[in-house]
Amino acid sequence: GNHKAIVNINNLSRVFSAANAKQTFNFSQSSYLSTFNQYVYQGILHIWIGIDHILFLIALLLTCVLTRTEKQWQGISSKKQIIKHTAWIVTAFTLAHSITLTTTAMNLVSPNSRWVELGIALSVLFAALNNVWPLVLRLGWVTFAFGLLHGMGFASVLGELGLSSDYQLLSIVAFNLGVEIGQLSILLIALPVLISIRGYQWYKKWLMPVGSFAIALIALQWSIERF
């Protein structure tokens, strides 16, 4: 399944899973670099298989290319403005989840994982429904608040994975960097597509609302399951 085990031998840390059951230890290689690479990889992997985090990001991106005027969504004409707006949203999310990932992984805070998972599901639900029935148009602070929950979710995965006994802080930083790389790769695929279709009426009237509503339904199911 998705179970993973971390093995430390002579300061070398390796993560074993069903897909990566055999590994070669090279003790001439820097254990510092090996640990860093392992945790960056796990961070990237987690964001790609963490469908709740991906859907939250996509729900936010769907309206990053649009502006609300006279109760109607309109495509933002300036690409520079879109990139600036998107950068603000992504930075708020990144900063927030970096804070809670680090503090939770270092046991400075110990949130209840059940409530964190429920909170993450509700954050996806809110972000999706807000696209259909906009309550909040400036999403920076809301994204930051929800990002704190997502960071706790990332930390629980890191907790299951385990930290390198010799390089604890490096493990956290590398895992967080992996999450950022994974997040950025999704952004680099989704944003150019959304920019290219933002002006079409079918996107504003149909694809964005229907896509948001579909995400909301999935998030509602998660919310009920996790309650």
Side-chain angles (χ1 to χ4, degrees):
N2 289 325
H3 292 289
K4 295 181 177 70
I6 186 160
V7 175
N8 288 293
I9 302 174
N10 284 16
N11 292 336
L12 272 180
S13 298
R14 289 294 173 85
V15 179
F16 286 79
S17 63
N20 203 10
K22 289 184 179 179
Q23 295 192 47
T24 304
F25 284 78
N26 178 3
F27 295 106
S28 63
Q29 184 189 11
S30 164
S31 56
Y32 188 87
L33 187 64
S34 172
T35 302
F36 182 79
N37 290 341
Q38 284 288 312
Y39 281 91
V40 167
Y41 171 73
Q42 289 300 324
I44 294 170
L45 195 65
H46 178 65
I47 194 86
W48 284 350
I49 63 172
I51 189 72
D52 45 3
H53 306 299
I54 290 174
L55 289 186
F56 180 68
L57 201 57
I58 288 173
L60 293 174
L61 289 175
L62 285 172
T63 52
C64 271
V65 294
L66 303 175
T67 185
R68 190 86 174 162
T69 52
E70 296 176 3
K71 296 186 178 181
Q72 295 289 322
W73 287 112
Q74 301 294 335
I76 299 172
S77 55
S78 167
K79 286 182 185 177
K80 187 179 177 182
Q81 192 183 339
I82 291 170
I83 290 164
K84 192 177 172 183
H85 180 47
T86 306
W88 167 236
I89 295 291
V90 172
T91 301
F93 184 56
T94 298
L95 189 62
H97 73 62
S98 297
I99 291 168
T100 45
L101 192 158
T102 305
T103 53
T104 308
M106 294 182 79
N107 292 319
L108 298 174
V109 291
S110 303
N112 183 309
S113 60
R114 184 190 162 200
W115 293 113
V116 168
E117 289 303 311
L118 175 61
I120 289 170
L122 291 173
S123 75
V124 180
L125 182 62
F126 173 83
L129 289 179
N130 192 63
N131 291 347
V132 184
W133 298 290
L135 289 173
V136 182
L137 292 177
R138 293 185 176 274
L139 287 168
W141 289 110
V142 174
T143 305
F144 183 85
F146 285 139
L148 294 172
L149 282 170
H150 284 258
M152 292 173 190
F154 292 136
S156 69
V157 172
L158 188 54
E160 289 170 15
L161 197 60
L163 294 173
S164 166
S165 56
D166 296 288
Y167 303 115
Q168 288 195 350
L169 191 59
L170 177 72
S171 305
I172 297 166
V173 171
F175 185 82
N176 198 38
L177 181 63
V179 167
E180 302 318 320
I181 293 168
Q183 186 178 286
L184 197 61
S185 66
I186 295 162
L187 185 69
L188 290 174
I189 294 165
L191 195 59
V193 173
L194 294 175
I195 286 172
S196 67
I197 62 174
R198 73 191 186 282
Y200 292 104
Q201 202 67 16
W202 54 263
Y203 175 70
K204 294 173 281 190
K205 292 279 187 184
W206 296 101
L207 187 60
M208 188 280 288
V210 170
S212 297
F213 202 70
I215 292 171
L217 285 175
I218 295 166
L220 181 63
Q221 186 185 346
W222 288 336
S223 302
I224 294 164
E225 287 170 359
R226 295 174 185 184
F227 188 70

